[in-house]
């Protein structure tokens, strides 16, 4: 039997032999397309190539792309485990032509691979083509020898592909495999007639030959291209002769592992089998998401990951799994797929730790939430209700972290559905916050502003690694409004592109250079520099005097001091990255960075806050590397040669065939396009300013180097001197002196509270003089001098001891214009009213809200002027008004 791993290898080897560049799978987080939540197709990483905005250096490519479909148009989550071919995570095998070969070669390669390389029976293969694609129809007859009755013409829904409302598009040709009459749906079964499992689509060939200008208007592309996709899991099922994708070797190892942990057998029970398939699928998604830097959270991609983990746990419950198990099955994914995807191996320890912590955290509330849901379903069944309210579904999420799909999974078995519209309405505020917080991959896309320049093929050559000045011609000027212009005059801002530039464009987390540009007609300040495209640098400029003209010669000069400060900080991020791995473990990976002249910021994967000792060790390691004065050597190598040499690639970054290696000799080696110092000693020193959490499983260190570190230490020393003077202490005595002062403050605070409590309770006898009877109920409403809520509660206890039956409402004005209000109702009156009911309207009068037990409720507010109105509302409620 040919394994899925062998099929993947044969596919890539076959297309490499046909002149295709084997390109590594891009991450599940699409850095090149901020419009997508996850990579969901093989062509995603080539989108800019198809649009003509990027030229990768090859015209043919092949990949095995990892994909995730869990939302939007491609949402397979609800069907996972219940059908034979729905997955959240899957691999898409693809071959691509960027204006090179077209239909004939694409069909030839596909037919050769399917029939000769993996040996599918030719008599069981069929093809579909677009309705009017006579060319493709003829090619299938010519190349594969298919007769007319084995080529089917289908409409736009099935056989026409487009990137969007506008842009590249074209007809498709799908290759179908006949699985036999046994899986057919009857005498009317056939391609284009039904959706049963007999005729299975195994490969889709997209012929991108048109450009959709607007609805109803298409023009031919000057360089037609090819985009194909074949699901590895699906073709493996065909080759291995199994009906379900879940029965292929890639899945069975994971499913068997889960079954062993649960003590069940796959194939014995339909409900158990569904649960095992869900666990197998979600284990893969979870492992790959964490390996690609996604961490569990309540927003965006992190929420998808959290949902998958929790959904797997819910299905684990169905097969008797109560202890954490998903971290184990996710570990099996590494065993099965780690050779093809080394990022899994690199993140294994960290991934298992994160998953286990998520399991343990959610496991505490899963049973309770399921019990509450079961109780509600019982009530609804008895009452004949069939729709769970949106409010209830939201409360399960808000209180117990239950995603809506778990509610639907459980309720669906009893013929009950959830009000998704109501649930979404209740979630509106959270979704709005999440949308605001998540903006794609968080990157700006300057290509929008410079689209015309990129499409025209304009380039600028960067010479700033070796020099800080250059002479060049002004090739483009763009106004602040985004319009191409021929001049910018004094006081105007805009963008300038030159043929050659020493200015580093903002990229890789490093801020762009600043400096000056001088021409015969004017002087210009460069406010910043951005990377508008792979080979296009744009300067954000302000004309200070005169004017700057298109096509004139210019002298460009980078601010050397600012560049040096950035270089110090950038090199130190490399030293910091290495030190963190040494101190915390190999699971640490860079999750983001910001390098400016003033300081550096470094985000990294780690679950818990760093201890003071760990921070000191990291700081010591970086400074030790600085004191070594180790040479920082850069060289350009082929990507594979750089990896073989031991260079660390930042996960999620897209690298070309040639990469720049920054080797801090004897310390670290990374792929990096940024600017660096010549030796570590030039950094001077390294000082950690802060360590904090920025997201679940992601920590952030901010630090300073060189003069910035010195200035920070000086500022701290000045603050220390002021503090020593204020507390009248000498150096070395500060901690003891501050502790003594804090102890004295704490003791005084206790004395104050005790005195306040005595004063408040002592008011009881006098306050009882205000007792009145309303509607047959003893009622006392009174202001109390109580500086704290605790003192007010003690006053209430004193009053309740003096009034065994009745209603008491007391309020106190406290520091900062705040109000505390307490209402008590004796138990014999609970049949008429309770404390929470009485306090609800009263709290509004003092500008707040509150609640509590039937016998006593508490509220806070910010409107002392409303105390009398609050008492009036209590009195009116007791009177029954």
């Amino acid at each position: 039997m040919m394994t899925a791993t062998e099929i993947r290898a044969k596919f890539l080897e076959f297309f490499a032999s046909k002149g295709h560049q084997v390109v590594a799978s891009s991450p599940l987080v699409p850095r090149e397309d901020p419009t997508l939540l996850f990579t969901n197709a093989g062509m995603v990483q080539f989108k800019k190539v198809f649009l003509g905005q990027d030229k990768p250096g090859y015209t043919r490519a092949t990949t095995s792309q990892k994909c995730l479909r869990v939302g939007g148009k491609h949402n397979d989550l609800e069907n996972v485990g219940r059908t034979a071919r729905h997955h959240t995570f899957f691999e898409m095998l693809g071959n691509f032509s960027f204006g090179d070969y077209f239909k004939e070669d694409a069909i030839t390669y596909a037919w050769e691979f399917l029939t000769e390389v993996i040996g599918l029976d030719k008599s069981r293969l069929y093809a579909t083509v677009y309705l009017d694609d006579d060319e493709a129809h003829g090619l299938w007859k010519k190349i594969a020898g298919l007769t007319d009755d084995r080529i089917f013409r289908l409409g736009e829904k099935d056989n026409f592909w487009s990137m969007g409302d506008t842009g590249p598009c074209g007809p498709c040709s799908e290759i179908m495999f006949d699985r036999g009459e046994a899986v057919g749906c009857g005498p009317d079964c056939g391609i284009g007639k039904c959706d049963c499992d007999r005729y299975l689509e195994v490969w889709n060939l997209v012929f991108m030959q048109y450009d959709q200008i607007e609805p109803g208007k298409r023009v031919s592309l000057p360089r037609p291209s090819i985009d194909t996709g074949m699901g590895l899991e699906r073709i493996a099922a065909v080759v291995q002769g199994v009906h379900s994708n879940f029965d292929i070797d890639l899945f069975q190892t994971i499913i068997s592992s889960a079954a062993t942990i649960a003590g069940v057998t796959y194939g014995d029970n339909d409900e158990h089998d569904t649960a095992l398939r869900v666990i197998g699928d979600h284990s893969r998604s979870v492992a790959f998401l964490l390996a690609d830097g996604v961490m569990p959270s309540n927003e965006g991609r992190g929420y998808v990951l959290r949902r998958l983990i929790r959904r797997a746990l819910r299905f684990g419950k169905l097969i008797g799994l109560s202890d954490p198990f998903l971290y184990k099955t996710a570990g099996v994914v590494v065993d099965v797929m780690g050779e093809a995807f080394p990022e899994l191996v690199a993140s294994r320890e960290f991934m298992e730790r994160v998953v286990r912590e998520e399991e343990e955290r959610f496991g505490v509330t899963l049973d309770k939430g399921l019990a509450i849901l079961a109780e509600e379903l019982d009530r609804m069944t008895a009452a004949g209700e069939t729709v769970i309210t949106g409010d209830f579904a939201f409360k399960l999420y808000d209180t117990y972290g239950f995603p809506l799909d778990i509610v639907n999974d459980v309720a669906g078995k009893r013929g009950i559905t959830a009000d998704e519209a109501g649930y979404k309405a209740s979630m509106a505020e959270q979704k709005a916050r999440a949308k605001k917080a998540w903006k794609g991959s968080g990157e700006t896309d300057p290509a929008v502003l410079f689209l015309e320049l990129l499409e025209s093929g304009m380039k600028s050559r960067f010479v700033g690694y070796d020099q800080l000045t250059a002479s060049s011609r002004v090739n483009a000027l763009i106004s602040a409004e985004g319009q191409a212009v021929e001049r910018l005059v004094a006081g105007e801002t805009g963008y300038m592109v030159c043929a050659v530039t020493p200015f580093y464009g903002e990229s890789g987390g490093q801020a762009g250079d600043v400096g000056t540009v001088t021409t015969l007609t004017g002087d210009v300040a460069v406010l910043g520099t951005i990377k508008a495209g792979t080979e296009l640098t744009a300067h954000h400029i302000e004309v200070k005097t005169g004017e700057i003209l298109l096509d004139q010669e210019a002298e460009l000069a980078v601010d050397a001091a600012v560049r040096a400060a950035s270089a110090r900080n950038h090199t130190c991020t490399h030293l910091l990255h290495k030190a963190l791995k040494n101190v915390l473990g190999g699971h640490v990976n860079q999750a983001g960075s910001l390098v400016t002249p003033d300081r550096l910021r470094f985000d990294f994967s780690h679950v818990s806050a760093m201890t003071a000792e760990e921070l000191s060790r990291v700081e010591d390691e970086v400074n030790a590397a600085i004191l070594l004065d180790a040479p920082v050597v850069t060289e350009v190598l082929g990507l594979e040669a750089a990896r073989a040499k031991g260079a660390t690639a930042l996960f999620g970054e897209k690298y070309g065939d040639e990469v720049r290696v920054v080797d801090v000799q004897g310390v670290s080696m990374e792929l990096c396009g940024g600017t660096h110092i010549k030796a570590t000693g030039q950094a001077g020193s390294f000082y950690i300013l802060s360590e904090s959490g920025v997201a679940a499983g992601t920590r952030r260190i901010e630090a300073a180097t060189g003069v910035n570190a010195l200035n920070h230490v000086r500022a701290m020393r000045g603050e220390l001197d002021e503090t020593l003077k204020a507390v009248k202490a000498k150096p070395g005595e500060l901690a003891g002196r501050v502790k003594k002062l804090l102890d004295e403050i704490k003791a005084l605070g206790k004395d104050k509270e005790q005195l306040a409590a005595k004063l408040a309770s002592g008011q009881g006898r006098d306050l009882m003089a205000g007792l009145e009877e309303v509607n047959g109920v003893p009622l006392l409403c009174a202001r109390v001098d109580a500086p704290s809520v605790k003192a007010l509660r003690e006053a209430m206890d004193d009053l309740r001891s003096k009034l065994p039956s009745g209603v008491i409402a007391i309020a106190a004005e406290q520091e900062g214009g705040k109000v505390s209000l307490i209402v008590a109702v004796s138990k014999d009156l609970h049949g008429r009213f309770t404390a929470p009911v009485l306090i609800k309207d009263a709290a509004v009068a003092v500008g707040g809200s509150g609640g509590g037990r039937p016998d006593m409720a508490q509220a806070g507010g910010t409107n002392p002027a409303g105390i009398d109105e609050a008492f009036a509302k209590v009195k009116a409620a007791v009177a029954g008004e």
Side-chain angles (χ1 to χ4, degrees):
M1 180 186 76
M2 192 181 296
T3 67
T5 298
E6 289 170 337
I7 294 171
R8 183 198 300 117
K10 286 179 180 295
F11 182 88
L12 298 176
E13 289 166 3
F14 172 79
F15 280 100
S17 73
K18 303 296 185 183
H20 291 65
Q21 174 73 38
V22 178
V23 179
S25 170
S26 65
L28 288 174
V29 178
R31 297 178 66 86
E32 292 296 313
D33 191 345
T35 65
L36 290 176
L37 193 64
F38 295 109
T39 299
N40 57 19
M43 62 79 61
V44 169
Q45 70 167 308
F46 301 115
K47 186 173 178 180
K48 287 189 175 181
V49 182
F50 283 123
L51 290 171
Q53 297 173 5
D54 193 10
K55 293 180 174 58
Y58 47 81
T59 57
R60 300 183 177 198
T62 184
T63 65
S64 180
Q65 175 64 50
K66 49 192 179 185
C67 301
L68 198 77
R69 293 183 178 176
V70 287
K73 177 182 176 183
H74 300 293
N75 185 6
D76 296 336
L77 185 61
E78 297 299 330
N79 294 318
V80 170
R82 296 186 170 91
T83 69
R85 279 173 292 284
H86 280 100
H87 308 294
T88 53
F89 174 88
F90 62 96
E91 283 183 69
M92 186 66 81
L93 304 173
N95 58 287
F96 308 89
S97 165
F98 311 117
D100 188 348
Y101 63 84
F102 199 45
K103 293 182 185 180
E104 183 166 3
D105 284 338
I107 291 173
T108 299
Y109 294 152
W111 187 254
E112 182 181 345
F113 179 77
L114 291 177
T115 60
E116 297 182 21
V117 178
I118 60 175
L120 294 190
D121 184 349
K122 295 180 181 180
S123 68
R124 300 173 70 178
L125 292 171
Y126 296 76
T128 69
V129 297
Y130 185 52
L131 279 173
D132 61 3
D133 193 350
D134 295 333
E135 181 185 4
H137 189 280
L139 286 170
W140 277 114
K141 296 177 72 172
K142 170 188 172 183
I143 295 164
L146 296 183
T147 53
D148 288 338
D149 61 337
R150 291 174 61 192
I151 307 172
F152 295 81
R153 294 179 184 266
L154 300 179
E156 191 159 324
K157 178 183 176 184
D158 296 297
N159 277 71
F160 198 91
W161 180 91
S162 60
M163 190 177 289
D165 293 335
T166 61
C169 60
C172 305
S173 182
E174 295 177 341
I175 304 173
M176 319 294 286
F177 181 80
D178 182 3
R179 299 166 70 87
E181 292 184 9
V183 293
C185 58
D188 294 327
C189 181
I191 295 173
K193 297 179 180 179
C194 63
D195 293 320
C196 77
D197 285 348
R198 176 174 176 177
Y199 295 97
L200 182 67
E201 176 209 330
V202 293
W203 205 340
N204 187 18
L205 314 179
V206 178
F207 309 131
M208 278 195 273
Q209 63 187 94
Y210 301 114
D211 185 5
Q212 187 83 40
I213 304 298
E214 59 187 41
K217 184 179 180 181
R218 292 176 187 148
V219 297
S220 295
L221 287 172
R223 299 175 67 224
S225 297
I226 292 293
D227 163 23
T228 82
M230 177 166 61
L232 174 62
E233 294 80 4
R234 186 173 293 197
I235 192 63
V238 170
V239 172
Q240 294 174 17
V242 294
H243 174 66
S244 169
N245 290 3
F246 289 97
D247 292 337
I248 66 173
D249 60 307
L250 274 184
F251 272 108
Q252 278 301 299
T253 305
I254 306 166
I255 288 173
S256 297
S257 169
T260 300
I261 297 170
V264 299
T265 301
Y266 185 62
D268 283 357
N269 178 291
D270 286 344
E271 188 173 272
H272 288 179
D273 289 352
T274 297
L276 288 168
R277 288 192 289 266
V278 170
I279 291 168
D281 174 272
H282 290 9
S283 295
R284 300 204 316 162
S285 296
V286 166
F288 275 93
L289 281 169
L290 281 159
D292 277 9
V294 178
M295 295 297 298
S297 71
N298 287 329
E299 297 175 352
R301 299 182 178 106
Y303 179 58
V304 171
L305 174 57
R306 179 161 283 167
R307 280 175 65 198
L308 291 171
I309 293 173
R310 292 182 174 185
R311 193 165 187 267
L313 297 189
R314 140 77 184 142
F315 277 91
K317 285 285 182 185
L318 295 179
I319 54 175
L321 292 169
S322 54
D323 294 329
F325 67 90
L326 189 64
Y327 76 98
K328 296 177 182 177
T329 56
V332 176
V333 175
V334 181
D335 296 333
V336 174
M337 305 182 73
E339 183 176 351
F341 299 97
E343 64 268 22
L344 289 173
V345 179
S347 65
R348 178 173 193 152
E349 181 183 347
F350 178 67
M351 177 268 292
E352 291 180 352
R353 180 179 172 187
V354 172
V355 175
R356 180 160 190 165
E357 288 188 2
E358 275 290 306
E359 290 186 88
E360 290 171 345
R361 188 180 297 117
F362 186 54
V364 173
T365 58
L366 179 58
D367 287 335
K368 191 168 184 179
L370 287 172
I372 291 172
L373 178 56
E375 184 179 325
E376 175 67 4
L377 294 174
D378 289 341
R379 183 198 67 74
M380 292 177 65
T381 301
E385 299 174 10
T386 59
V387 180
I388 299 172
T389 66
D391 283 345
F392 180 83
F394 172 71
K395 284 176 183 175
L396 273 179
Y397 165 77
D398 199 36
T399 307
Y400 300 105
F402 264 50
L404 185 62
D405 33 270
I406 289 184
V407 177
N408 282 326
D409 283 335
V410 178
K413 293 183 178 180
R414 299 174 64 165
I416 294 174
T417 59
D419 175 13
E420 295 197 22
Y423 173 85
K424 290 176 180 177
S426 298
M427 283 281 287
E429 188 175 344
Q430 280 93 330
K431 281 183 176 283
R433 284 200 299 267
K435 187 176 181 181
K436 184 178 180 181
W438 176 72
K439 298 177 181 177
S441 58
E443 296 184 337
T444 57
D445 189 1
V448 174
L449 186 60
F450 303 99
L451 185 59
E452 288 189 12
L453 299 184
L454 289 165
E455 289 179 341
S456 72
M458 183 175 289
K459 297 180 181 180
S460 47
R461 183 165 58 91
F462 175 62
V463 296
Y465 289 135
D466 304 311
Q467 60 194 69
L468 296 181
T469 61
S471 299
S472 185
R473 180 170 293 277
V474 178
N475 279 348
L477 289 172
I478 298 176
S479 70
E481 294 74 30
Q483 301 298 316
V485 294
E486 294 189 357
R487 61 162 48 81
L488 290 171
V489 302
E492 289 186 331
T493 60
Y495 295 89
M496 175 190 73
V497 175
C498 292
V500 175
T501 180
F503 284 78
Y504 179 82
E506 180 178 350
S507 58
Q510 181 177 331
D513 282 333
V514 298
T516 61
V517 175
T518 305
T519 72
L520 289 174
T521 59
D523 297 312
V524 172
V526 178
L527 309 176
T529 311
I530 62 175
K531 194 92 167 176
T534 307
E535 298 178 272
L536 187 68
T537 300
H539 310 83
H540 184 206
I541 63 172
E542 179 182 4
V543 182
K544 293 297 185 180
T545 62
E547 61 181 0
I548 184 169
L549 306 174
L550 189 65
D551 289 331
Q552 71 178 156
E553 288 295 319
E555 298 297 322
L556 294 82
V558 174
D559 187 312
V562 173
R563 163 71 79 84
S566 292
R568 282 194 294 269
N569 285 335
H570 202 152
T571 301
C572 282
T573 63
H574 289 215
L575 304 181
L576 174 60
H577 192 184
K578 184 65 174 179
L580 287 167
K581 283 182 176 289
N582 291 342
V583 173
L584 300 179
H587 67 272
V588 169
N589 283 307
Q590 181 173 333
S593 68
L594 176 65
V595 176
T596 70
D598 300 324
R599 64 174 60 193
L600 66 89
R601 187 180 76 204
F602 189 82
D603 296 346
F604 58 98
S605 52
H606 189 57
V607 175
S608 55
M610 292 178 65
T611 65
E613 180 189 359
E614 288 169 339
L615 287 169
S616 293
R617 287 172 59 194
V618 166
E619 204 171 57
D620 287 347
E621 282 212 17
V622 175
N623 280 299
I626 291 172
L627 291 174
L628 277 176
D629 197 25
V632 180
V633 178
T634 61
E635 60 179 328
V636 176
L637 298 172
L639 179 58
E640 294 308 315
R643 284 176 170 157
K645 194 174 182 179
T648 299
L650 299 185
F651 203 75
E653 288 291 335
K654 186 176 180 182
Y655 297 103
D657 295 334
E658 290 192 334
V659 293
R660 187 165 178 265
V661 179
V662 177
D663 183 6
V664 183
Q665 296 192 341
V667 182
S668 80
M669 188 187 301
E670 291 188 16
L671 306 186
C672 179
T675 63
H676 291 270
I677 51 183
K678 300 299 182 185
T680 58
Q682 293 176 356
S685 61
F686 174 86
Y687 191 93
I688 293 177
L689 304 173
S690 66
E691 190 272 350
S692 60
V694 292
T698 304
R699 309 296 300 176
R700 170 174 292 171
I701 281 179
E702 295 197 41
T705 66
V707 175
N708 294 322
L710 178 61
N711 289 338
H712 180 76
V713 171
R714 282 175 175 165
M716 290 185 65
R717 186 170 63 193
E719 189 174 341
L720 176 62
D721 289 342
E722 291 295 318
T723 306
L724 288 170
K725 291 177 183 176
V727 300
K728 296 182 172 61
K730 297 177 181 178
E733 299 176 347
L734 183 59
R737 180 63 177 143
V738 170
K739 184 179 182 304
K740 183 179 179 182
L741 289 171
L742 289 174
D743 289 342
E744 290 175 1
I745 292 169
K746 189 175 181 180
L748 289 171
K750 285 184 177 179
D751 291 343
K752 181 181 177 183
E753 282 190 6
Q754 290 172 358
L755 180 59
K758 286 180 181 179
L759 290 172
S761 61
Q763 299 174 66
R765 280 189 294 275
D766 296 333
L767 295 175
M768 289 300 292
L771 183 67
E772 58 183 315
E773 186 171 304
V774 176
N775 197 17
V777 176
L779 172 66
L780 174 62
C781 295
R783 292 174 180 259
V784 178
D785 291 329
S788 67
V789 176
K790 181 180 178 183
L792 189 64
R793 281 198 296 264
E794 291 185 3
M796 175 60 83
D797 291 341
D798 182 52
L799 291 170
R800 291 175 74 186
S801 69
K802 294 177 173 61
L803 186 66
S805 175
V807 174
I808 305 171
I810 58 175
E813 182 177 351
Q814 288 153 359
E815 288 184 13
K818 294 181 180 180
V819 180
S820 290
L821 175 67
I822 300 179
V823 174
V825 178
S826 58
K827 289 183 180 181
D828 58 305
L829 297 174
H830 288 178
R832 298 172 64 182
F833 28 70
T834 62
V837 171
L838 294 179
I839 207 169
K840 185 176 180 182
D841 288 340
V844 174
V846 295
S849 61
R853 306 185 308 271
D855 61 322
M856 190 162 72
Q858 181 179 313
T862 57
N863 179 28
I867 291 177
D868 289 339
E869 183 185 349
F871 289 156
K873 286 182 178 294
V874 173
K875 186 173 182 178
V878 173
E881 297 175 0

